[in-house]
């Protein structure tokens, strides 16, 4: 079998070259991170496996890829880029990769929380413009953080927050327990948390979960952190809450539309810290990610995963 990494950036290209074994399925690395969907059929050719980082794969395009049987999506949010059910109907199985960057994403969420609480981004912008800008900060020790969704990333955030002396609440769609974490209803979490951090997959049930009504349930001046998917939060309602002061600040790594368009209203808000969907980008996470992708290719080709 043959695999094509369709949209490899320089970092992941190098990792894939380093981790690919001589006895692996043949791997072609397309160093074209900005590939467009209409270019996919020609790039795939007769390959049975497509490895995709962030490129959309519409079902009508997939139908043109006659040999394609497996899509390995580099992450968990495949639904943002393709329709797995429609692909399954035409004989293409979508594989996702979980857990590869739990620590990396948790550290990003923790950093966004801290930066938002301390006003560092606002001061940095002001000082670079020649202004000796000083802001009042939020002391996080002793405060409550609420984790919306509790998987591997949230467990890592809980570990970091506990180390910083914070109380940790969590809500999950299915019952869970975790040392040092108090599980409550979503309404209770929103009402009791000084910081709310989002850690859910995007699907029909979670899209718009943090609606305008739910944002109003949060404590006045609370901090919102999102390293999951932008569409889980009602972006317009969040912006309104940030402007009104209902939300004290936000730390955001994900957005409804990515890349963010020019003139986006979030650019104009001083109480927002922005990062470009980069929470997972560490060397350790990249190695984990590509190794898992290659293991998928080995498994579906019958060669087995690396021991």
């Amino acid at each position: 079998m043959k695999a094509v990494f369709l949209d490899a950036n320089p970092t992941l290209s190098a990792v894939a070259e380093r981790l690919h074994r001589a006895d692996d399925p043949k791997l072609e690395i397309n160093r074209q991170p900005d590939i467009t969907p209409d270019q996919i059929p020609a790039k795939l050719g007769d390959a049975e496996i497509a490895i995709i980082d962030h490129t959309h794969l519409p079902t009508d395009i997939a139908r043109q890829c006659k040999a394609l049987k497996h899509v390995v999506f580099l992450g968990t949010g495949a639904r943002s880029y393709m329709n797995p059910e429609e692909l399954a109907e035409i004989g293409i199985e979508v594989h996702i990769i979980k857990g590869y960057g739990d620590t990396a994403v948790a550290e990003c969420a923790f950093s966004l929380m801290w930066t938002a609480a301390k006003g560092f981004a606002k001061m940095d912008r002001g000082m670079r413009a020649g202004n000796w800008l000083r802001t009042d900060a939020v002391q996080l020790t002793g405060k409550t953080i609420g984790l919306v969704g509790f998987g591997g990333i949230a467990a890592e955030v809980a570990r970091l927050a506990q180390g910083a002396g914070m109380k940790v609440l969590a809500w999950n769609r299915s019952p869970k327990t975790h040392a040092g974490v108090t599980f409550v209803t979503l309404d209770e979490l929103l009402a009791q948390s000084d910081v709310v951090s989002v850690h859910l997959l995007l699907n029909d049930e979670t899209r718009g979960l943090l609606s305008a009504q739910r944002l109003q349930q949060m404590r006045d001046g609370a901090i919102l952190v999102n390293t999951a998917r932008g569409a889980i939060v009602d972006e317009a309602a969040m912006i309104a809450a940030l402007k009104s002061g209902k939300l004290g600040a936000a730390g955001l790594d994900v957005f409804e539309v990515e890349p963010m368009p020019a003139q986006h209203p979030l650019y104009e808000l001083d109480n927002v810290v922005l990062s470009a969907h980069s929470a997972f980008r560490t060397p350790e996470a990249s190695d984990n990610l590509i190794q898992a992708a290659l293991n998928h290719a080995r498994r579906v080709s019958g060669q087995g995963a690396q021991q």
Side-chain angles (χ1 to χ4, degrees), residues 68-70 86-93:
L68 183 61
K69 298 299 180 186
H70 299 275
E86 288 182 358
L87 292 179
E89 289 176 0
I90 60 173
I92 300 172
E93 184 178 0

Side-chain angles (χ1 to χ4, degrees), residues 59-72:
T59 305
D60 62 335
I61 294 293
R63 285 194 181 95
Q64 301 173 36
C65 306
K66 300 304 183 183
L68 183 61
K69 298 299 180 186
H70 299 275
V71 173
V72 179

Side-chain angles (χ1 to χ4, degrees), residues 238-267:
M238 176 187 68
I239 290 169
L242 287 162
K243 287 180 176 179
S244 72
K246 172 63 181 180
L247 285 176
L252 307 172
D253 186 57
V254 290
F255 310 92
E256 283 190 1
V257 177
E258 297 180 3
M260 284 175 66
Q263 311 304 318
H264 196 287
L266 283 171
Y267 293 137

Side-chain angles (χ1 to χ4, degrees), residues 2 8 17 48 55 58 107 132 203:
K2 176 183 173 182
E17 285 185 333
E48 297 92 344
T55 302
E107 287 183 355
W132 187 250
N203 55 37

Side-chain angles (χ1 to χ4, degrees), residues 27-87:
L27 175 65
E28 180 181 312
I29 301 173
N30 182 44
R31 293 167 175 80
Q32 189 182 357
D34 58 349
I35 187 174
T36 57
D38 61 290
Q39 296 173 308
I40 289 176
K43 290 295 182 183
L44 269 181
D46 61 353
E48 297 92 344
I49 304 169
I51 299 173
I52 295 179
D53 181 21
H54 61 272
T55 302
H56 288 271
L57 179 63
T59 305
D60 62 335
I61 294 293
R63 285 194 181 95
Q64 301 173 36
C65 306
K66 300 304 183 183
L68 183 61
K69 298 299 180 186
H70 299 275
V71 173
V72 179
F73 180 75
L74 298 184
T76 57
R79 292 179 186 279
S80 298
Y81 298 89
M82 62 198 73
N83 187 315
E85 287 77 22
E86 288 182 358
L87 292 179

